[in-house]
Amino acid sequence: DIVTEGLVYSMAGTSARGRCPVPSAIDLRSSPLRIDVLLEDSRSRELAEVPVSFCEERDPPREGITICTKPMFRADELRQVYSNSLEDWVNYHTLLGVDHVQLYDTDGSFGPWLEESEAFVKDDASVTYWPRFPSVISESLQSLSDNGYPYCTETLAFDHCLFTNFHKARWLLMLHALDCYIHSPANAAVVGMNVEHADRSGPAEISDGRQ
């Protein structure tokens, strides 16, 4: 067996990220390749042993910029107040040069809005939708989210965004929600002109992250 050591750190105690060097003696091209990760605390007390399987993807096509939201909820309430906020948010960032949007919610409420907005979102927009994200982790977290704690998987969604896109995007940004916008002074005039003349005939590329 080949043994190496790395560092694991946690953000807010709800998720953990680990990093360790791959020993040169390991051939990553061999298949199947499995690594057992042994987690210990600072006092060398064993916490858990996690089997990790590797999958190979050679030279995947890379997108320039991907943006992710936090797990949002109650889209119907937001839509009553700001009826076009989702379409405007996606269109604005597509015009600015964002290649892909990854949108999360906790309750599935953004699904109908996305379906109805396809005709109003620019045809070169790319959106991946993860409905009821807490259930991707566990039904217990989904139940916790449904019962008054909708932000319980926020940091897990950030990790999910990172690990599902780091090999596909050159730049990755967390914009949290539809009231957060990227501002680019260099492209402000271009965005203003394109918004004024935007073709909203669609349809956009909107996919379900679970498929």
Side-chain angles (χ1 to χ4, degrees):
D1 292 345
I2 302 173
V3 178
T4 185
E5 294 185 356
L7 177 66
V8 176
Y9 62 96
S10 177
M11 177 175 165
T14 57
S15 64
R17 301 173 187 172
R19 182 175 183 178
C20 63
V22 178
S24 57
I26 294 180
D27 183 4
L28 293 177
R29 294 170 297 180
S30 63
S31 182
L33 176 64
R34 171 178 152 157
I35 295 178
D36 291 322
V37 178
L38 180 64
L39 301 179
E40 297 179 345
D41 64 12
S42 58
R43 299 180 181 178
S44 298
R45 293 179 299 189
E46 183 175 329
L47 300 178
E49 184 171 345
V50 182
V52 177
S53 298
F54 284 76
C55 59
E56 182 180 4
E57 186 172 355
R58 292 173 179 253
D59 301 321
R62 283 184 176 265
E63 296 159 339
I65 303 173
T66 291
I67 57 177
C68 293
T69 71
K70 66 182 179 182
M72 301 183 290
F73 50 94
R74 295 202 294 267
D76 50 342
E77 295 181 9
L78 176 63
R79 197 175 185 183
Q80 288 178 2
V81 180
Y82 303 105
S83 59
N84 297 316
S85 55
L86 176 61
E87 297 91 333
D88 290 344
W89 189 81
V90 173
N91 282 335
Y92 171 86
H93 289 103
T94 300
L95 290 166
L96 198 62
V98 168
D99 299 282
H100 182 236
V101 174
Q102 193 150 304
L103 189 148
Y104 297 85
D105 73 17
T106 65
D107 55 5
S109 62
F110 278 82
W113 194 354
L114 279 169
E115 291 178 3
E116 295 172 20
S117 69
E118 283 192 52
F120 301 98
V121 174
K122 280 180 59 59
D123 56 2
D124 55 346
S126 172
V127 180
T128 300
Y129 171 49
W130 285 88
R132 295 177 57 82
F133 175 72
S135 68
V136 174
I137 310 301
S138 74
E139 288 303 325
S140 296
L141 283 175
Q142 183 63 59
S143 177
L144 185 65
S145 176
D146 292 341
N147 288 279
Y149 298 92
Y151 298 114
C152 65
T153 57
E154 182 173 346
T155 57
L156 294 173
F158 293 162
D159 285 345
H160 183 270
C161 173
L162 172 64
F163 287 109
T164 55
N165 288 286
F166 81 98
H167 63 299
K168 296 188 293 187
R170 297 185 182 278
W171 298 94
L172 188 61
L173 299 173
M174 308 294 186
L175 285 193
H176 288 248
L178 304 185
D179 59 349
C180 297
Y181 283 76
I182 300 172
H183 173 59
S184 173
N187 291 335
V190 175
V191 171
M193 180 178 65
N194 286 339
V195 168
E196 183 178 353
H197 299 92
D199 177 6
R200 294 177 170 233
S201 59
E205 178 189 339
I206 299 177
S207 59
D208 189 328
R210 296 172 184 257
Q211 299 298 320

